[in-house]
Amino acid sequence: MSLALAVTAASCHLRNLRTRLPFRYGAVTLTRFPLLHLALDVEAADGRRARGFAADNLPPKWFDKSPARSFRDNVEDLLASIRSAQSAYLDAGRKPRPVFDVWRAAYAECARRGPGLGLNGLTAAFGSSLFERALADAAGRLTGLDVVSMLRADVLGIRPEAVHRGLTREHLLAWASRPAPEAIAVRHTVGLLDPIVAADVSADGWLRDGLPQTLEECVPRHGLTHFKLKVGGQVGADVDRLARIAATLDRLVAEPYVVTLDGNEQYKAMTDFAALVAAIRATPALGRLWRSTAFIEQPLDRAIALDPAATEGLEALGRQVPIIIDESDGDLEAFPRAVALGYRGVSTKNCKGIVKSFVNRTLVEALNGERPERARLFMSAEDLTNVPVVPLQQDLATVRALGITHVERNGHHYVRGLAHCSRAERAAALRHHGDLYLGDEREAWLRIEAGRLRVGSLATAGYGVAFDPDLASMIPLDRWTFDSLTAGPGETG
């Protein structure tokens, strides 16, 4: 039975993070970013009260890649989205209602307000995504259930038929009732600037911080067998770099490995993207890598990715390797439109909204009942510099609930473990989630063993985190400034 909640108060708190390594994705190189935590107070119909939490990075050039928007502009837009969502959720949740009903009203209002605030669909939905997670976290804390159990028991009151005609709760239960994985494979991201072998690091470029720096160090250290490779839109340079990566993987990984390619919207025409695929297929050194490629993610710029006139040939190309959308998943109708064009899947990212992910997974279940095995749809689990504790664990909680067996993980590689957390948070993370972390309250890291993360401890009351974040160690939003982040050397692009 669904739980009715009223939203009574909300507050935001930030930390400034710097990366240990620069992370290049698309046209941006990230060396610093803010990490925002949301605390949401709710009251159930029976008077019980709880607080739920959510957290996410505020990165440049993913939600909005317009060259006219600076890093500061991107962050201000994301904060505007959060403020809009706060107003919408407080209004939609004035009286106790099922979580889905609060979401449906508030999400629609966020989308309506977005253009007036100068926000595209992804940015307008970001604020809502934080409130969705915090609401679900509060519901779990009140009921003593984790997200998997909440889906099965209908605690969140999700009605997929209210989003897409023809879907039913039975379609949702068909996937939500399957056993949740106890371990999830890490799909290690190789960014466009990441060193592949030791020769790629200058003599004075070694960090010497005890953590792996090159791909050839990461593979044996973590036992990696899954990889996400960024491509940059220049066919010759992409093929040369992929060949260097393939040589490293072929040398270090004896067992079968899995690769996905991330286009990051770098291809502005189908002919350019098709040329990349043809070049990869024609390069003998990439034979094993190509045979190991599970899918290609968002190769086309979002401006053309869902345009029937601009995607001619995509369906035929997708028969060679599945192609999925990521940045183009900007509204609730994006995935059905993509399927009609020949795309085979869609990513889940908490920053795009957990309700959307649950509904998209339900749509996959329903549509696959009508499709042959060779054309089955699927969801992938992707990540954008996702860091411990709350963002990482809530993202993994979603992936676990969806039953996805491998997830892009890169945030832990570009920051120094849990160094950005408070001492109290590190101690709590190790005490409650020892399957995920190793170390002590002074220094702690993500525990990757045989290329996998054990995620059993995420089955805790709430949305994947068994303790409260240390808000007192953060900066309240009304006292935080962008200049506090940007003092000194920083992001370019």
Side-chain angles (χ1 to χ4, degrees):
M1 180 179 294
S2 60
L3 176 68
L5 295 178
V7 180
T8 59
S11 61
C12 294
H13 314 260
L14 291 99
R15 283 189 176 123
N16 295 332
L17 275 68
R18 290 184 178 272
T19 65
R20 60 180 281 267
L21 292 166
F23 177 43
R24 175 76 180 275
Y25 58 93
V28 70
T29 300
L30 190 69
T31 59
R32 59 172 179 259
F33 55 91
L35 171 61
L36 180 142
H37 285 70
L38 168 67
L40 188 69
D41 295 318
V42 304
E43 183 173 337
D46 60 8
R48 290 181 299 146
R49 297 181 178 182
R51 172 171 280 188
F53 300 94
D56 224 321
N57 306 327
L58 308 182
K61 295 295 187 288
W62 188 81
F63 293 93
D64 188 336
K65 296 183 181 180
S66 168
R69 307 298 290 166
S70 67
F71 187 1
R72 182 189 294 267
D73 292 335
N74 288 156
V75 170
E76 289 178 352
D77 286 347
L78 293 171
L79 292 176
S81 174
I82 292 168
R83 294 186 179 100
S84 174
Q86 179 169 332
S87 168
Y89 274 82
L90 284 169
D91 185 57
R94 282 176 297 173
K95 296 181 179 179
R97 303 168 71 183
V99 170
F100 179 83
D101 291 353
V102 176
W103 165 81
R104 194 176 179 203
Y107 178 90
E109 181 62 15
C110 290
R112 187 191 68 79
R113 295 176 183 175
L117 297 171
L119 309 179
N120 65 19
L122 281 176
T123 309
F126 173 70
S128 175
S129 80
L130 285 161
F131 281 81
E132 295 169 43
R133 284 171 264 171
L135 265 177
D137 187 44
R141 289 167 182 248
L142 280 169
T143 58
L145 299 176
D146 74 325
V147 59
V148 174
S149 298
M150 283 193 281
L151 288 168
R152 294 172 181 172
D154 198 28
V155 169
L156 304 179
I158 295 176
R159 293 182 286 115
E161 70 277 8
V163 180
H164 297 302
R165 185 182 303 174
L167 296 185
T168 66
R169 174 155 170 78
E170 285 65 37
H171 288 127
L172 186 151
L173 286 174
W175 60 265
S177 296
R178 293 171 191 151
E182 290 299 307
I184 297 172
V186 169
R187 186 155 36 89
H188 177 81
T189 300
V190 185
L192 293 172
L193 289 183
D194 288 3
I196 299 166
V197 297
D200 296 331
V201 183
S202 63
D204 60 354
W206 289 100
L207 298 177
R208 307 189 191 285
D209 62 358
L211 299 177
Q213 190 166 340
T214 65
L215 175 63
E216 69 177 348
E217 289 178 298
C218 290
V219 172
R221 169 74 74 93
H222 299 311
L224 300 172
T225 58
H226 291 63
F227 306 90
K228 174 169 175 169
L229 312 180
K230 299 279 187 178
V231 290
Q234 300 296 321
V235 173
D238 285 337
V239 169
D240 289 346
R241 183 169 164 280
L242 289 175
R244 296 182 62 237
I245 293 171
T248 302
L249 298 184
D250 292 350
R251 171 168 54 90
L252 294 176
V253 187
E255 61 193 286
Y257 62 74
V258 173
V259 161
T260 67
L261 303 180
D262 183 9
N264 263 125
E265 303 184 78
Q266 294 300 297
Y267 296 86
K268 310 306 179 184
M270 268 299 301
T271 52
D272 296 337
F273 172 49
L276 172 70
V277 173
I280 292 173
R281 288 172 59 88
T283 304
L286 295 177
R288 183 184 175 196
L289 185 144
W290 179 249
R291 292 191 300 273
S292 304
T293 299
F295 59 84
I296 299 176
E297 174 192 348
Q298 190 75 40
L300 300 177
D301 189 303
R302 72 186 74 174
I304 64 168
L306 297 181
D307 181 351
T311 52
E312 185 176 351
L314 183 139
E315 187 169 13
L317 198 59
R319 287 195 285 270
Q320 298 181 41
V321 61
I323 304 167
I324 72 168
I325 61 167
D326 180 33
E327 289 95 334
S328 287
D329 183 28
D331 58 54
L332 296 174
E333 296 301 323
F335 183 36
R337 291 201 305 272
V339 171
L341 292 173
Y343 289 95
R344 291 272 303 284
V346 62
S347 66
T348 177
K349 283 182 174 175
N350 275 3
C351 65
K352 295 194 295 183
I354 59 171
V355 177
K356 180 197 283 185
S357 287
F358 297 147
V359 171
N360 278 346
R361 180 65 186 87
T362 305
L363 190 61
V364 166
E365 195 72 28
L367 294 178
N368 276 346
E370 307 163 0
R371 299 172 72 95
E373 184 71 30
R374 66 181 182 278
R376 288 290 178 95
L377 306 175
F378 62 94
M379 289 188 75
S380 76
E382 309 304 324
D383 160 69
L384 187 68
T385 60
N386 203 299
V387 297
V389 170
V390 177
L392 171 79
Q393 291 184 208
Q394 291 192 333
D395 179 75
L396 287 172
T398 300
V399 174
R400 179 176 178 269
L402 293 169
I404 301 173
T405 58
H406 59 86
V407 59
E408 176 198 3
R409 277 280 83 86
N410 58 336
H412 64 277
H413 179 62
Y414 297 103
V415 301
R416 186 172 173 78
L418 277 68
H420 58 280
C421 298
S422 72
R423 194 180 185 95
E425 285 172 323
R426 286 190 291 272
L430 290 162
R431 183 167 65 254
H432 294 285
H433 301 284
D435 56 350
L436 265 180
Y437 305 107
L438 54 86
D440 56 38
E441 62 184 24
R442 294 168 300 172
E443 284 196 301
W445 299 271
L446 198 62
R447 183 192 293 271
I448 307 174
E449 298 172 336
R452 283 162 171 72
L453 297 169
R454 288 184 288 140
V455 292
S457 69
L458 301 182
T460 186
Y463 210 101
V465 185
F467 59 94
D468 292 358
D470 184 5
L471 300 183
S473 68
M474 304 177 199
I475 306 169
L477 177 56
D478 60 5
R479 286 173 32 208
W480 182 86
T481 66
F482 184 83
D483 291 335
S484 71
L485 172 74
T486 58
E491 169 266 342
T492 62

